[in-house]
Amino acid sequence: MQTTALERKQERNEQLKERLLQLKEERNAIILAHYYQRDEIQEVADFRGDSFLLAQKAAQTDADTIVFCGVHFMGESAKILAPDKTVIIPDERAGCPMADMVNVDGLRELKKQHPNAAVVTYINSSADVKAETDICCTSANAVKVIQSVDADEIIWVPDKNLGDYVSKFTDKKMIIWEGYCNTHDMLTVKDVEQMKIKHPQAQFVVHPECRPEVLELADFVGSTTAIIKYCRESDHQEFIVGTEDGTGYQLRNDSPEKTFHFATKYLVCPNMKVNNLKKLVKCLETMGPEIYVPKPVADKARLSLERMLQVTA
Ligand code: 13P
Ligand code: SF4
């Protein structure tokens, strides 16, 4: 009997998974995967999570090797929080365009203009920028971080949409950088309105990296984990989802009886999808690409990440 392409792919994946288990043991490795990774990676991860949970897991692990399946700044944060571990990633081309929208020179200039402001930096940023930062945050604890900061003025980098969202929960003056996530920022009011007409019973849940006018249409606004929790615990059966499409893996696992419609087919982060199972196995085989952060930068950046971890999500 002839095998189909799908069967051949499944067979290859089974072989890759077997090899992965061997390598994980040999390298004493832990696999961390962001919710936006391909299903085939989320399936084999030791921990799936959002940026906050994965940073916590990296800081706490006893493993010798951390394989970070996400984008580059996530691997960097893991290395900063666990400097004695080897941190490897499946593909070094997995960057985050939003993180690249702010640089040290621009941030230093802003600090000069606002000498009394505290710098709050979204974790989606480079190690160099984190080293210039008072405290980092993720979308899961951004509001609490802003409220925890002892300053009346905040320099907020790099996400203008998340900055606009958190500014509604504080009286502090916020100086907001003009960065954005290419994927979330693509979602428009028109997309959501069309989906609401198609699925009138569905609740609209959305990530705060989306535009303010899109958030206004939402039944629920929250980080990736908050969206997953909300959908799991809600009595509603149908949802329009305004975040990256990989989140569907956890949503469907948690609530197989519920229906999830992604708000557009464009809610796919191409950077997250650069990683795949084959590259994951290969990186454990070759122990690279490895993440390096120069010690002086890491030592400064660590303070801002450790402060972030103290503010619960
Ligand atoms: P969270 O993991 O904090 O929800 O962030 C979303 C994101 O865009 C990660 O790159
Ligand atoms: Fe960056 Fe957006 Fe992709 Fe997250 S989803 S990695 S913020 S481009």
Side-chain angles (χ1 to χ4, degrees):
M1 211 170 56
Q2 262 195 335
T3 52
T4 63
L6 181 65
E7 283 167 339
R8 283 195 296 278
K9 182 168 187 224
Q10 279 168 348
E11 203 178 307
R12 267 198 312 273
N13 277 2
E14 286 314 311
Q15 287 164 357
L16 285 170
K17 282 182 201 167
E18 243 172 69
R19 181 73 186 123
L20 186 68
L21 285 178
Q22 283 171 348
L23 285 164
K24 254 179 65 174
E25 204 169 301
E26 276 170 43
R27 311 293 197 202
N28 187 19
I30 186 177
I31 300 175
L32 306 180
H34 192 271
Y35 286 132
Y36 300 171
Q37 291 291 286
R38 291 173 189 267
D39 290 6
E40 64 190 31
I41 287 192
Q42 294 199 50
E43 257 174 40
V44 297
D46 294 297
F47 294 101
R48 293 188 284 278
D50 66 355
S51 314
F52 188 83
L53 180 112
L54 298 178
Q56 251 180 349
K57 294 293 175 198
Q60 291 161 356
T61 187
D62 291 333
D64 296 321
T65 304
I66 299 171
V67 188
F68 211 116
C69 302
V71 288
H72 193 266
F73 75 80
M74 296 179 178
E76 256 187 3
S77 300
K79 181 69 188 175
I80 293 165
L81 286 165
D84 301 334
K85 313 282 175 191
T86 303
V87 180
I88 54 175
I89 53 176
D91 190 324
E92 61 195 342
R93 290 171 305 163
C96 169
M98 186 209 297
D100 296 337
M101 287 178 194
V102 56
N103 60 32
V104 171
D105 289 346
L107 179 53
R108 282 191 183 148
E109 185 52 41
L110 209 52
K111 282 166 78 168
K112 246 193 248 158
Q113 289 167 21
H114 304 276
N116 297 321
V119 179
V120 179
T121 297
Y122 195 25
I123 195 168
N124 299 40
S125 51
S126 68
D128 290 332
V129 166
K130 287 185 178 84
E132 294 286 325
T133 291
D134 293 299
I135 182 166
C136 288
C137 71
T138 73
S139 57
N141 69 356
V143 171
K144 286 188 192 165
V145 165
I146 288 286
Q147 289 166 345
S148 78
V149 169
D150 187 18
D152 296 329
E153 225 181 331
I154 308 269
I155 294 174
W156 171 272
V157 295
D159 186 5
K160 64 176 177 180
N161 291 340
L162 184 61
D164 181 85
Y165 175 68
V166 298
S167 71
K168 298 191 169 35
F169 297 86
T170 180
D171 292 333
K172 297 176 203 280
K173 180 175 175 216
M174 288 189 59
I175 300 126
I176 298 177
W177 195 268
E178 284 291 308
Y180 57 90
C181 162
N182 288 345
T183 303
H184 287 88
D185 191 68
M186 204 136 50
L187 184 61
T188 64
V189 165
K190 196 168 162 214
D191 294 327
V192 178
E193 281 174 351
Q194 281 173 351
M195 285 301 276
K196 283 186 170 220
I197 291 168
K198 262 189 165 164
H199 307 287
Q201 303 303 326
Q203 286 231 310
F204 175 47
V205 294
V206 69
H207 196 286
E209 283 178 16
C210 292
R211 298 179 192 181
E213 64 270 25
V214 169
L215 302 193
E216 274 175 28
L217 305 175
D219 296 294
F220 179 75
V221 180
S223 67
T224 313
T225 297
I227 288 176
I228 290 168
K229 183 170 184 281
Y230 179 83
C231 294
R232 187 174 60 232
E233 292 175 358
S234 166
D235 290 334
H236 289 269
Q237 294 300 310
E238 199 182 357
F239 301 89
I240 298 165
V241 183
T243 190
E244 211 274 347
D245 133 294
T247 310
Y249 180 83
Q250 189 68 44
L251 289 170
R252 286 185 282 268
N253 258 1
D254 286 354
S255 316
E257 74 293 357
K258 296 184 182 175
T259 308
F260 301 99
H261 313 281
F262 278 81
T264 72
K265 62 179 180 190
Y266 304 112
L267 277 168
V268 178
C269 172
N271 313 288
M272 286 279 182
K273 301 308 195 245
V274 161
N275 300 326
N276 61 30
L277 185 58
K278 198 171 163 194
K279 292 179 193 172
L280 168 56
V281 173
K282 189 167 171 225
C283 84
L284 262 170
E285 228 149 29
T286 60
M287 290 300 280
E290 187 177 347
I291 301 275
Y292 291 102
V293 182
K295 192 174 179 317
V297 175
D299 287 347
K300 281 177 85 184
R302 190 171 306 114
L303 295 173
S304 63
L305 281 169
E306 284 176 347
R307 287 184 194 126
M308 173 193 87
L309 289 176
Q310 280 159 22
V311 182
T312 50

